[in-house]
Structure formats: structure tokens, C-alpha cells
């Protein structure tokens, strides 16, 4: 490790020590049904959200925690798998997992590794470096992750605990925890979507943007990419760079989305207090924002547009698709588009029942459609499927009393967006959203232990000073 990085890590330790107040331990492990201490919090997902949540909890003296991730170490999140952009889309100065500790920011790490001048000249953060930074962050704040460990199921256990079945390698085991945070990313509450007319196509002709795709095999072929968000463009660019003969990007809307609403909303007032608004305002804002979808940065477009064999088709929804030999014919209102391979970059949809780990209680997770009836002009069945979360990111019940224990399962992922605005799965919101989640978790743990705290307070008998009367008595005793 370079001396600059070693010095930075010393600085991190110093900063954390100087800002650790109040650092008195305040939790006692509860015994689980297996006789071992249950975890205070189990965090599922060791992407940026899971790591930052764990860091926030450690700073609140909630240290009896465990982070698990099904991915192997270094492969958490999308950065080194299906993320196909060269750089992050967020501006380089957006801070996140550091939770406002300067020495833990991406900028500090970048400057320690490559020098200040390099940072000054950096345009956007290369995604591989963001992945490296997250690994360093984990190490610098002293977090450990159990990798290759997948959450399969959550059920209630005795004494208000949750039982999480996890599969680690070939072994299955049960972890008991008072609370579980699902920081499981983009697909946490659903799955990637395929437009209905394409669903019958075989895997040799169709892939999702989140799939492993052999782009080399697309050299000389015609590729159709469905969708017009940044991910669709990234896939189109990767196919073009791999030597695809033609790439057609098919956008359903009459005009491609150029405005990035997430830029507008990146101010402390919105990020911090959106969740305090009433349902009508939260719905109005998030419906408008999520219906617009996200715009893409200039560099994302330029990466495609520099190729003469890139074709952008606006106002081109897919009406039907049929296999013709080795190719697919896509019927659109503007005519037929033929392609040898189709990539769907149409995003994710919320469908709680899709998630195996939520299967046992999916039908009792309250959604926005259960809780809020928008005016006719603001209806959206798609957004109505988002979970309606409590103010601590916990699931709420559709039928009260049926699964009360789900109030100890907290969702910090893209699906939290309708309730909280950008929060999980968004770098721009981490500095405001993670403290809110941590606050909710510690509030729940504290309240649940009130009786113990009251008894502890009453039993507290540590004198802070010795007064004359006591000294005299002690001398007399000899
Ligand atoms: C291609 C792409 C580019 C993006 N670019 C940007 C950007 O530039 N700026 C920005 O602000 N945001 C961006 N985002 C959005 C967001 O920042 C990322 O999705 C980010 O990875 C979210 O972090 P996360 O920790 O919430 O989820 P993830 O990074 O997805 O991590 C979730 C983790 O949970 C694990 N997991 C899931 N299910 C289980 C299970 N059952 N058991 C155990 N482990 C499980 C996964 O293996 C994964 O490692 C991008 C998203 C994508 C997909």
C-alpha cells in the first residue's frame, strides 16, 4: 500500500476516534432459540448501501451486526458485472458512504492513490475505481462481510426475533436477528422487465441488460436494444465497441428523455424531508419523477453517437416480435426492425412475490395502492406496487396483526423510493438517507429495550464524586 493511503487510513482512524462520542455500549445481545446471542442487525447486501448502513450502525455503537452478500468479495453490486458504462453518472463530488467524514470520501481516497492533480483533472469516476473505493472503505472502517452467503427466507422466531435462512456455499444455516436490513439493490423487490411482445423469444436471441452477455459474439451482427435510459445506451455502446454491424436503440416514447429529474431533486431539503410529506405530495412528486424516468449524461450518448452504425429510433414501441431464421423481426408503428440479437434495457418492475426471500409474507406487505388512492389524473398501477414503508424504512402490514414481525424488516433499496424519494440505490441521497435509516434502527432497538434501560437506570449507583462526609466515615473505619 502506498504511504499516502497508509496515512489516509491513519487519518480515518483519528477522525473516527475524535467523533465517536457518545461511545458507551448500550445493547445487550438477546439469546436466540439456539442458545447463541442473536444479532442486533443482520444486513443483507454488501453493496454501498449495506456497507454504509453497517458503518452508521457501528458509529451508533450497534456492533453486534453481520453483513452477508451472495456475491464473492469485490463483486458486490453491479459495478464489475453488468454495469457497462465507463464512468459513474454521478458528478465526482457527490459524497456517499463516508457519511460526511472527509477522510472517508471518494475524493480523499482518489487523491491518496493518484494525487491531487489527478483528481483535479478527473471528469467522472471510473466504475472500476468506485468498486475499488468501496472495498477500501469496507477495510478502512473495519467492516467484515460474509461473502457467498445468500438469504433464502425470513420467518418469525421466538421472543420477537427474526430467523433468516442463509445458504453459504453448500451449507444452509439459520441466523437469528432482532432486525434485518435488506440492502439488496436494484432487484430487491422485483425483477428486470421484458416487454410483453418479446417474452416468448428464446435466450439465444434475447438478453436482459443485467445478464452476462457475450458481446464478442455480437461482432458483425445487428443488435436491437430496447429502452432509452442510460443502461440501454451503455449496452448499445458496448455492442458497437465490440464490432456489431448495426445497433438500433428503440425508444417507446415519442421523444427520448433528456432531462435528469434526479439532478433537480439533489438538494438537502428534498432529500432529507421528502419522507416527511403527506402521501398526496409524496405520490405527486415521485409519480412525476419516476414516470419521467432518468435521463442519461452527454458522455453516455456520445459513446454511441460516434458510431455511424448506431440508429436511434424514437416513438418506436414494440408491437410484436417473431423469429425468422436466426433473426428476430420487431414490428413497430414505424415499420419492421430486424436484429440478430435483442437486449432489454427496460429497467426493473416491483413485484414482491418474485423475491424468494420475501415469499412467506409478500402478500401482507402493504403497497402504495393499499394505502393511497390518487386523483384520476395521477393514477399509476406500476407505482402503486411499490411497498408503503414506515418512517424507519420498515415494511408495513396490509392486514394489521397478520405478520407484525415484518416491522423489523427494513428495506433500503430502489423500491424504497416511493416512500423516501431517492434513498437506497442512489449515491446522491446516501448522506441524508443512511442516517435516517440508522436513526430508525436505533430507535426501534432502544424502545424495545426500555424496561431494561429503566431497570439499569434504577440500579445505577456509581458516585461521581467523594464528599467530606464519606471521607470522614472511611477514616473513622480506619
Ligand atoms: C448499471 C448501473 C449504473 C449505476 N450508476 C449509478 C451512478 O452513476 N450514480 C448513482 O447514484 N447511482 C447509480 N446506480 C444506482 C445505484 O447507485 C447502484 O445500483 C448501487 O449499486 C446501489 O447500491 P446498493 O448497495 O443499494 O445495491 P447493490 O450495489 O446492487 O448491492 C446489493 C447487494 O445485495 C446482494 N444481494 C442481493 N440479494 C441477496 C440475497 N438474497 N442474499 C445475499 N445477498 C444479496 C447482491 O449480491 C449485491 O451485492 C447505477 C445502477 C446501475 C444498475
Amino acid at each position: 500500500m502506498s504511504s499516502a493511503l497508509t496515512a489516509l487510513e491513519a487519518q480515518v482512524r483519528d477522525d473516527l476516534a475524535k467523533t465517536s462520542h457518545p461511545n458507551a455500549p448500550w445493547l445487550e445481545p438477546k439469546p436466540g432459540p439456539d442458545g447463541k446471542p442473536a444479532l442486533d442487525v443482520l444486513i443483507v447486501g454488501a453493496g454501498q448501501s449495506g456497507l454504509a448502513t453497517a458503518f452508521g450502525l457501528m458509529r451508533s455503537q450497534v456492533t453486534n451486526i453481520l453483513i452477508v452478500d451472495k456475491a464473492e468479495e469485490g463483486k458486490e453490486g453491479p459495478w464489475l458485472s453488468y454495469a457497462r458504462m465507463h464512468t459513474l453518472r454521478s458528478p465526482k463530488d457527490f459524497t456517499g458512504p463516508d457519511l460526511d467524514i472527509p477522510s472517508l470520501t471518494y475524493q480523499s481516497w482518489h487523491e491518496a492513490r493518484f494525487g491531487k492533480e489527478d483528481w483535479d483533472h478527473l471528469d467522472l469516476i471510473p466504475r472500476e475505481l468506485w468498486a475499488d473505493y468501496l472495498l477500501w472503505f469496507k477495510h478502512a472502517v473495519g467492516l467484515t462481510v460474509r461473502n457467498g452467503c445468500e438469504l433464502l427466507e425470513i420467518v418469525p422466531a421466538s421472543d420477537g426475533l427474526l430467523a433468516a435462512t442463509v445458504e453459504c456455499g453448500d451449507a444452509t444455516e439459520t441466523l437469528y436477528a432482532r432486525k434485518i436490513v435488506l440492502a439488496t439493490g436494484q432487484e430487491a423487490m422485483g425483477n428486470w422487465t421484458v416487454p410483453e411482445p418479446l417474452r416468448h423469444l428464446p435466450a439465444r436471441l434475447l438478453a436482459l441488460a443485467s445478464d452476462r452477455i457475450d458481446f464478442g459474439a455480437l461482432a458483425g451482427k445487428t443488435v436491437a436494444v430496447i429502452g432509452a435510459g442510460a443502461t440501454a445506451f451503455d449496452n448499445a455502446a458496448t455492442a458497437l465497441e465490440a464490432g456489431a454491424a448495426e445497433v438500433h436503440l428503440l425508444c417507446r416514447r415519442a421523444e427520448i428523455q433528456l432531462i435528469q429529474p434526479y439532478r433537480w431533486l439533489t438538494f438537502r431539503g428534498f432529500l432529507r424531508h421528502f419522507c416527511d410529506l403527506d402521501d398526496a405530495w409524496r405520490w405527486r412528486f415521485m409519480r412525476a419523477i419516476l414516470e419521467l424516468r432518468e435521463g442519461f449524461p452527454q458522455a453516455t450518448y456520445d459513446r454511441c453517437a460516434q458510431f455511424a452504425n448506431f440508429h436511434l429510433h424514437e416513438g418506436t414501441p414494440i408491437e410484436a416480435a417473431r423469429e425468422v431464421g436466426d433473426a428476430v423481426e420487431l414490428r413497430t408503428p414505424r415499420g419492421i426492425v430486424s436484429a440478430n440479437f435483442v437486449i432489454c434495457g427496460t429497467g426493473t418492475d416491483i413485484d414482491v412475490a418474485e423475491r424468494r426471500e420475501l415469499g412467506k409474507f409478500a402478500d401482507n406487505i402493504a403497497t402504495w395502492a393499499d394505502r393511497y388512492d390518487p386523483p384520476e389524473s395521477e393514477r399509476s398501477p406500476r407505482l402503486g406496487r411499490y411497498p408503503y414503508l414506515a418512517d424507519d424504512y420498515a415494511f408495513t402490514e396490509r392486514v394489521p396483526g397478520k405478520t407484525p414481525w415484518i416491522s423489523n424488516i427494513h428495506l433500503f433499496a430502489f423500491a424504497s423510493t416511493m416512500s423516501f424519494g431517492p434513498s437506497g440505490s442512489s449515491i446522491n441521497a446516501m448522506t441524508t438517507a443512511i442516517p435516517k435509516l440508522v436513526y430508525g434502527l436505533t430507535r426501534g432497538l432502544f424502545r424495545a429495550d426500555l424496561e431494561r434501560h429503566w431497570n439499569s437506570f434504577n440500579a445505577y449507583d456509581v458516585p461521581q464524586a467523594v464528599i467530606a462526609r464519606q471521607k470522614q466515615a472511611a477514616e473513622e473505619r480506619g
Side-chain angles (χ1 to χ4, degrees):
M1 197 192 306
S2 74
S3 58
L5 261 189
T6 309
L8 181 62
E9 289 179 10
Q11 176 76 50
V12 168
R13 283 193 295 277
D14 197 41
D15 287 348
L16 293 182
K18 284 178 177 155
T19 54
S20 65
H21 170 76
N23 58 7
W26 58 280
L27 284 152
E28 279 178 10
K30 268 179 116 170
D34 55 0
K36 296 186 206 147
L39 295 161
D40 287 323
V41 184
L42 169 65
I43 299 172
V44 186
Q48 61 199 26
S49 299
L51 295 180
T53 303
F55 172 49
L57 285 172
M58 299 285 279
R59 280 176 65 70
S60 298
Q61 297 304 321
V62 183
T63 55
N64 173 29
I65 62 178
L66 176 68
I67 320 170
V68 298
D69 199 297
K70 64 183 177 182
E72 61 185 89
E73 181 168 23
K75 294 289 165 56
E76 301 93 345
W79 313 114
L80 301 181
S81 53
Y82 67 88
R84 300 191 170 107
M85 67 284 186
H86 292 318
T87 60
L88 293 198
R89 308 191 233 281
S90 319
K92 66 178 180 180
D93 58 344
F94 279 17
T95 53
D98 50 272
L99 304 185
D100 290 341
I101 304 282
S103 54
L104 279 170
T105 57
Y106 177 85
Q107 179 176 352
S108 294
W109 175 81
H110 189 101
E111 288 180 356
R113 251 196 91 177
F114 305 107
K116 172 135 182 40
E117 209 178 319
D118 195 87
W119 167 259
D120 291 341
H121 290 115
L122 182 74
D123 180 19
L124 292 167
I125 300 173
R127 69 180 159 81
E128 292 86 354
L129 289 187
W130 183 252
D132 274 2
Y133 160 71
L134 291 177
L135 269 182
W136 173 80
F137 171 83
K138 177 179 77 166
H139 157 79
V141 301
L143 300 174
T144 42
V145 173
R146 255 170 92 176
N147 286 97
C149 190
E150 180 171 8
L151 171 71
L152 300 183
E153 186 181 79
I154 304 173
V155 291
S158 57
D159 210 12
L161 295 172
L162 298 167
T165 308
V166 294
E167 191 173 69
C168 306
D170 292 336
T172 301
E173 105 184 62
T174 304
L175 301 171
Y176 295 98
R178 296 179 67 182
K179 286 185 170 291
I180 295 182
V181 173
L182 297 172
T184 38
Q186 205 82 6
E187 303 126 66
M189 295 294 284
N191 245 325
W192 293 80
T193 55
V194 178
E196 204 282 323
L198 300 172
R199 287 188 196 150
H200 66 282
L201 292 177
R204 69 187 162 79
L205 293 174
L206 178 84
L208 296 168
S210 55
D211 286 340
R212 233 180 249 254
I213 299 174
D214 178 4
F215 281 91
L218 300 180
K221 303 268 174 67
T222 300
V223 178
V225 179
I226 318 298
T231 296
F233 274 92
D234 294 338
N235 279 270
T238 310
L240 289 159
E241 288 162 3
E246 305 285 337
V247 173
H248 298 276
L249 192 135
L250 275 56
C251 165
R252 183 169 48 92
R253 291 159 194 248
E255 279 185 16
I256 210 152
Q257 164 79 25
L258 295 176
I259 306 292
Q260 170 55 297
Y262 277 67
R263 280 300 150 78
W264 175 83
L265 58 73
T266 304
F267 57 97
R268 294 241 178 209
F270 190 93
L271 293 174
R272 188 177 287 161
H273 300 298
F274 171 81
C275 60
D276 303 328
L277 300 178
D278 63 21
D279 289 352
W281 271 113
R282 286 195 290 170
W283 179 270
R284 183 171 303 158
F285 264 119
M286 280 331 285
R287 192 195 73 94
I289 290 163
L290 293 174
E291 295 277 289
L292 271 179
R293 305 254 171 143
E294 289 194 51
F296 47 85
Q298 187 67 49
T300 305
Y301 173 74
D302 292 345
R303 199 177 152 204
C304 291
Q306 61 175 312
F307 289 89
N309 51 344
F310 171 67
H311 312 283
L312 170 62
H313 305 263
E314 292 172 296
T316 314
I318 313 288
E319 293 171 337
R322 71 183 183 109
E323 283 183 66
V324 181
D326 271 353
V328 185
E329 266 187 14
L330 303 170
R331 198 181 78 211
T332 80
R334 294 172 184 254
I336 300 285
V337 177
S338 288
N340 303 107
F341 197 70
V342 181
I343 302 173
C344 280
T346 37
T348 51
D349 204 2
I350 305 294
D351 184 356
V352 184
E354 281 275 315
R355 303 306 305 174
R356 176 176 168 175
E357 62 269 30
L358 310 179
K360 285 267 158 66
F361 54 92
D363 65 342
N364 203 38
I365 295 176
T367 63
W368 271 81
D370 293 324
R371 293 296 175 85
Y372 179 63
D373 189 19
E376 194 58 40
S377 60
E378 294 182 6
R379 292 202 184 281
S380 167
R382 181 172 75 88
L383 301 182
R385 289 195 289 277
Y386 277 65
Y388 186 96
L389 301 176
D391 69 351
D392 56 358
Y393 289 84
F395 289 130
T396 54
E397 290 184 279
R398 179 173 280 154
V399 179
K402 197 174 158 198
T403 55
W405 45 276
I406 67 174
S407 65
N408 281 319
I409 307 177
H410 306 254
L411 178 73
F412 195 78
F414 185 72
S416 317
T417 306
M418 281 303 292
S419 301
F420 283 88
S423 45
S425 290
S426 215
I427 295 167
N428 67 340
M430 291 183 86
T431 50
T432 47
I434 299 272
K436 220 177 292 167
L437 170 65
V438 170
Y439 173 91
L441 292 166
T442 54
R443 185 185 62 189
L445 291 168
F446 173 72
R447 281 187 181 166
D449 287 350
L450 260 188
E451 210 169 297
R452 179 172 66 77
H453 292 306
W454 175 243
N455 292 338
S456 158
F457 167 68
N458 283 308
Y460 185 69
D461 60 357
V462 183
Q464 221 187 325
V466 178
I467 59 167
R469 159 163 54 80
Q470 290 167 305
K471 273 191 198 153
Q472 199 180 344
E475 278 162 16
E476 281 169 10
R477 277 201 303 272

